[in-house]
Amino acid sequence: MFELLAEEAGARRGRLHTAHGAIDTPAFMPVGTQATVKALTPEEVRELGAQVLLANTYHLALRPGAERIARLGGLHRFMGWEGAILTDSGGFQVFSLDHLVKVSDDGAIFRSHLDGSEQAFTPESVMAIQRQLGSDIAMAFDQPVSWPATDATARVAMERTHRWAARCLTAEAPPGQLRFGIVQGGFEEELRRESAEVLGEMPFDGFGVGGLSLGEPKAVTYGLLALQTAILPRDRPRYLMGVGTPADLVEAIARGIDMFDCVLPTRIARNGSILTRGGRINLRNRRFIEDSGPPDDGCDCYTCQRFSRAYLRHLFMAGEILGHRLASIHNLRLLVRLVAQIRERIGTGGLEHTMTSLRDLWALAPLP
Amino acid sequence: MFELLAEEAGARRGRLHTAHGAIDTPAFMPVGTQATVKALTPEEVRELGAQVLLANTYHLALRPGAERIARLGGLHRFMGWEGAILTDSGGFQVFSLDHLVKVSDDGAIFRSHLDGSEQAFTPESVMAIQRQLGSDIAMAFDQPVSWPATDATARVAMERTHRWAARCLTAEAPPGQLRFGIVQGGFEEELRRESAEVLGEMPFDGFGVGGLSLGEPKAVTYGLLALQTAILPRDRPRYLMGVGTPADLVEAIARGIDMFDCVLPTRIARNGSILTRGGRINLRNRRFIEDSGPPDDGCDCYTCQRFSRAYLRHLFMAGEILGHRLASIHNLRLLVRLVAQIRERIGTGGLEHTMTSLRDLWALAPLP
């Protein structure tokens, strides 16, 4: 399923084959939490260069319901997206949205954020939901812990995650659906190492690295990441969940990560923030009031080709949702393009130079 | 500027030439109040079949300011719309938004709805604003009256509107900008007749019919409309301002109207309502929860070609702005297409049949 095409300076270039097309890696996945990448049509997401998007098991299971989506022909048909879809397992949402009632080895019982109703997720039910959604890549149910967590807490959650992973593998899989396990381990090297070793022995099609970028220092994030990617099987893709910024993408690719998702580009777009090669700016700032230049000079996205900073500022000040939409297009295109630019250099012998330039561009000091 | 190409059963087919292309009439103009047709890009508006859109002098003068738009290259460039733009005069907003401080023959003094600051519009300043915006069609400053208005009130406002119209014509006009006067007269035939006669003598390039559909019975609307279009010069276009529903469009075209604008299609879209050949429906209704059919069967718009009622319902229930966007596309396309379908029949000898079918389709009893 996964072709590893090149390796250079810790980074990997590959191609993951799914039931809905190939994914060239490293890849950035736009987030379509509720079966829509916020404000965008499927055609626009495709035009960004995205080959795969992420949808949320937790949100879709609660509304409109996975059985309903199955009866309507599955998630691809429901939302009109013909590319690949990765569904997360809901573990992150259940354990982070502050509505957890009870966790046991059986699973998690929690309250819906929509109506307060009691809900239960087990490894088996989460895989069943992802089967009903018909995603191309299903994630195993996991239990992340928040920073800072004690070693004891992290160990309990990690060992439970491992047992749940094994149960996810025994669940019935629809034809063609890939399954990724998720490594955890809190914020200590020993646990992270153990998790990568245990999960890496399981016959998953790929691996998510979960529970990182939850408040810990970046040096910790990158260190634990490098430690786990060095252990995980080389012949399968690694997906750093929920990360990140342009800086994070550069550093994580250099540590062997193949896939990313993050709500940052669409979330900050809502309030007028965009990522540019000069840093993050908020277009509501008065200094853009008569700025006739493009939002991000040199960007090839629809927004930057067609509209000025002054116009986008006006849209945000006037509360017009076209502003949210245009800023989302730009932010997503910037990240998809950034990852593609790195990808094209992996295996050419020029990667170090590219990475140094990108670190300079994004004003980053390279971390050990 | 205006070619009258055919007349049949009270309806007219024509072509209005502007500095930004021809407008085939009858025409429906999407509303872009704040320099954006809500949620849509200029390309999407063009794909709907729209050749002209309406922008609001009042809103743009307050934010971001007409001088600012002029410095940024004019409204077309600012919002990225290459088709024609008609700007209203602000009269309707100033006299209806409940922030009027004082009206005199000089003009109107009012408070900004944005910051409460005192503002003044005069016939001359309103034309200057429209010159700065660079619209293709500028409307004269007028004073509508609300239903029910006494004859005395309506007469004062009408006579002032006539004096203001004459002053608008003496203002400096940018090259290529067309100017439309606005007939008023309240809700009595005598005043409406007088207004059409007085305005019709003035050398405007076209005429708006203002102050209708403000609460009066539809029979009154249509009667006064027919009375005024019978008087207005045959060789210039007539624009029924701020109207309307599919039913209104059919009836007004049959009474000699050439142009329309209305916020209805985008306004109702926000809350999940769409116009269909079976009537107006709200997609939030539970009966659509697993409806796999298109929003409006037989519609050729992007939304109806690509998505189900169930998906749109989900988007609205989940608060996703893609729902607003998709419903806006459908509603606008339906009205643009309805008008185009009628237009194509004018002069073919088959118009009466078409109009009867449309009245049946929209469940209308034809009014006298």
Side-chain angles (χ1 to χ4, degrees):
Chain A
M1 294 300 175
F2 184 64
E3 299 175 76
L4 184 58
L5 300 171
E7 291 180 290
E8 184 178 351
R12 302 141 48 92
R13 181 164 59 80
R15 186 169 293 135
L16 179 62
H17 296 276
T18 79
H20 287 84
I23 303 164
D24 294 305
T25 62
F28 182 82
M29 302 185 282
V31 176
T33 301
Q34 302 190 108
T36 160
V37 176
K38 288 194 186 301
L40 304 192
T41 62
E43 286 77 8
E44 286 170 330
V45 177
R46 178 61 87 178
E47 280 165 25
L48 296 170
Q51 297 170 311
V52 52
L53 56 76
L54 176 142
N56 282 96
T57 286
Y58 168 86
H59 287 97
L60 294 174
L62 295 184
R63 183 175 58 195
E67 290 180 12
R68 179 160 290 127
I69 289 177
R71 285 194 294 270
L72 287 162
L75 186 54
H76 293 82
R77 183 165 169 190
F78 183 61
M79 67 183 293
W81 170 251
E82 292 166 9
I85 298 175
L86 179 149
T87 42
D88 67 8
S89 64
F92 179 76
Q93 280 75 26
V94 166
F95 290 99
S96 68
L97 291 180
D98 199 30
H99 43 39
L100 179 68
V101 174
K102 194 179 164 198
V103 57
S104 69
D105 269 11
D106 190 43
I109 296 169
F110 58 97
R111 293 203 176 274
S112 161
H113 74 286
L114 296 177
D115 60 10
S117 62
E118 192 168 276
Q119 305 281 335
F121 274 180
T122 65
E124 292 77 13
S125 76
V126 160
M127 297 312 281
I129 291 168
Q130 295 181 86
R131 187 167 64 240
Q132 289 168 325
L133 296 175
S135 57
D136 301 289
I137 304 170
M139 302 301 296
F141 195 47
D142 65 324
Q143 183 182 358
V145 293
S146 50
W147 166 267
T150 65
D151 280 10
T153 302
R155 172 164 291 283
V156 169
M158 179 193 77
E159 291 182 349
R160 182 175 288 133
T161 295
H162 296 172
R163 288 191 295 274
W164 286 355
R167 283 163 59 188
C168 287
L169 280 171
T170 66
E172 182 195 346
Q177 188 181 57
L178 306 180
R179 295 177 167 197
F180 283 20
I182 301 177
V183 297
Q184 291 287 351
F187 306 95
E188 289 297 328
E189 293 192 359
E190 187 188 323
L191 290 179
R192 283 277 164 186
R193 185 176 292 113
E194 182 177 336
S195 191
E197 286 168 352
V198 171
L199 263 287
E201 292 294 318
M202 296 187 189
F204 283 108
D205 301 300
F207 299 92
V209 178
L212 289 181
S213 222
L214 297 180
E216 77 282 5
K218 286 288 181 192
V220 173
T221 309
Y222 298 147
L224 296 174
L225 184 58
L227 182 155
Q228 291 195 305
T229 54
I231 296 167
L232 287 170
R234 189 168 153 265
D235 62 350
R236 277 166 280 171
R238 301 88 173 258
Y239 155 38
L240 179 56
M241 303 180 74
V243 178
T245 64
D248 288 331
L249 300 182
V250 173
E251 298 306 330
I253 290 171
R255 288 161 179 80
I257 290 294
D258 306 298
M259 299 165 70
F260 302 90
D261 81 282
C262 193
V263 297
L264 174 89
T266 41
R267 182 167 290 169
I268 69 173
R270 180 169 185 162
N271 296 316
S273 284
I274 61 166
L275 303 166
T276 78
R277 262 74 68 89
R280 179 167 158 176
I281 61 175
N282 191 306
L283 291 166
R284 298 170 66 99
N285 192 298
R286 188 166 179 87
R287 70 190 158 110
F288 302 122
I289 198 164
E290 285 195 17
D291 189 335
S292 61
D296 184 19
D297 197 30
C299 178
D300 65 356
C301 82
Y302 169 75
T303 303
C304 291
Q305 295 299 305
R306 295 281 278 113
F307 302 101
S308 65
R309 289 175 165 187
Y311 182 61
L312 264 72
R313 180 182 192 274
H314 166 68
L315 293 177
F316 281 106
M317 297 309 288
E320 288 284 354
I321 62 178
L322 182 60
H324 182 184
R325 184 179 161 195
L326 294 178
S328 292
I329 287 174
H330 167 73
N331 284 341
L332 285 170
R333 174 59 188 157
L334 184 140
L335 293 186
V336 168
R337 190 183 184 203
L338 169 65
V339 170
Q341 285 170 333
I342 299 173
R343 183 172 67 232
E344 286 159 12
R345 300 305 298 247
I346 298 171
T348 64
L351 184 64
E352 286 284 13
H353 178 71
T354 297
M355 296 301 249
T356 301
S357 302
L358 288 170
R359 285 180 174 117
D360 289 345
L361 189 63
W362 294 103
L364 291 173
L367 290 161
Chain B
M1 296 299 175
F2 184 63
E3 298 176 76
L4 184 58
L5 300 171
E7 291 179 291
E8 184 177 351
R12 300 140 50 91
R13 181 164 59 79
R15 186 169 293 136
L16 178 62
H17 296 275
T18 79
H20 287 84
I23 302 164
D24 294 304
T25 63
F28 182 82
M29 302 185 281
V31 176
T33 302
Q34 301 192 109
T36 159
V37 176
K38 287 194 187 302
L40 304 192
T41 62
E43 286 76 9
E44 286 169 330
V45 177
R46 179 61 87 176
E47 280 166 25
L48 296 170
Q51 298 169 309
V52 52
L53 56 76
L54 176 142
N56 283 96
T57 286
Y58 168 85
H59 287 97
L60 294 175
L62 295 184
R63 183 176 59 196
E67 291 180 12
R68 179 160 290 129
I69 289 177
R71 286 194 293 271
L72 287 162
L75 186 54
H76 292 82
R77 184 165 169 191
F78 183 60
M79 67 183 293
W81 170 251
E82 290 165 9
I85 298 176
L86 179 149
T87 41
D88 68 7
S89 64
F92 179 76
Q93 281 76 26
V94 166
F95 289 99
S96 68
L97 291 181
D98 198 28
H99 44 39
L100 179 68
V101 174
K102 194 179 165 198
V103 58
S104 69
D105 269 11
D106 189 43
I109 296 169
F110 58 97
R111 293 204 176 274
S112 161
H113 73 287
L114 296 177
D115 60 10
S117 62
E118 192 169 276
Q119 304 283 333
F121 274 180
T122 66
E124 292 78 13
S125 75
V126 160
M127 297 313 280
I129 291 167
Q130 295 180 85
R131 188 166 65 239
Q132 289 168 325
L133 295 175
S135 57
D136 301 288
I137 305 171
M139 303 301 297
F141 194 47
D142 65 324
Q143 183 182 358
V145 292
S146 51
W147 167 267
T150 65
D151 280 10
T153 301
R155 173 165 288 284
V156 169
M158 179 194 77
E159 291 181 349
R160 182 174 286 132
T161 294
H162 296 171
R163 290 191 294 273
W164 285 356
R167 283 163 59 187
C168 286
L169 281 172
T170 66
E172 182 196 345
Q177 188 181 57
L178 306 180
R179 294 177 168 198
F180 283 21
I182 301 177
V183 297
Q184 291 287 350
F187 306 95
E188 289 298 327
E189 294 193 359
E190 187 189 323
L191 289 179
R192 284 278 165 185
R193 185 176 292 113
E194 182 177 335
S195 190
E197 286 168 351
V198 171
L199 262 288
E201 292 294 318
M202 296 186 188
F204 282 109
D205 300 301
F207 298 92
V209 178
L212 289 180
S213 221
L214 297 180
E216 77 282 5
K218 286 287 180 191
V220 173
T221 310
Y222 297 147
L224 295 174
L225 184 58
L227 182 155
Q228 291 194 306
T229 54
I231 296 167
L232 287 170
R234 188 168 153 264
D235 63 350
R236 277 165 280 171
R238 301 87 172 260
Y239 155 38
L240 178 57
M241 303 179 75
V243 178
T245 64
D248 288 331
L249 299 182
V250 173
E251 298 305 330
I253 290 172
R255 287 160 179 82
I257 289 294
D258 306 299
M259 299 166 69
F260 302 90
D261 80 283
C262 193
V263 296
L264 174 88
T266 42
R267 180 167 292 168
I268 68 173
R270 180 168 185 163
N271 296 317
S273 284
I274 61 166
L275 303 166
T276 79
R277 262 73 67 92
R280 178 167 158 176
I281 61 175
N282 192 306
L283 291 167
R284 298 171 66 98
N285 192 298
R286 189 166 178 86
R287 71 191 157 108
F288 302 122
I289 198 164
E290 286 196 16
D291 188 335
S292 60
D296 184 19
D297 197 29
C299 178
D300 65 356
C301 82
Y302 169 75
T303 303
C304 291
Q305 296 299 306
R306 294 281 278 113
F307 302 100
S308 66
R309 288 176 165 188
Y311 182 61
L312 264 72
R313 180 183 192 274
H314 166 68
L315 293 178
F316 281 106
M317 298 309 288
E320 288 285 353
I321 63 179
L322 182 60
H324 181 185
R325 184 178 160 194
L326 295 177
S328 292
I329 287 175
H330 168 73
N331 284 342
L332 284 170
R333 174 59 188 158
L334 184 140
L335 293 185
V336 168
R337 190 183 185 202
L338 169 66
V339 170
Q341 285 170 334
I342 299 173
R343 183 172 68 232
E344 287 159 12
R345 301 306 297 247
I346 298 170
T348 64
L351 184 64
E352 287 282 16
H353 178 72
T354 297
M355 296 301 249
T356 301
S357 302
L358 288 170
R359 284 179 173 117
D360 289 346
L361 189 62
W362 294 103
L364 292 174
L367 290 161

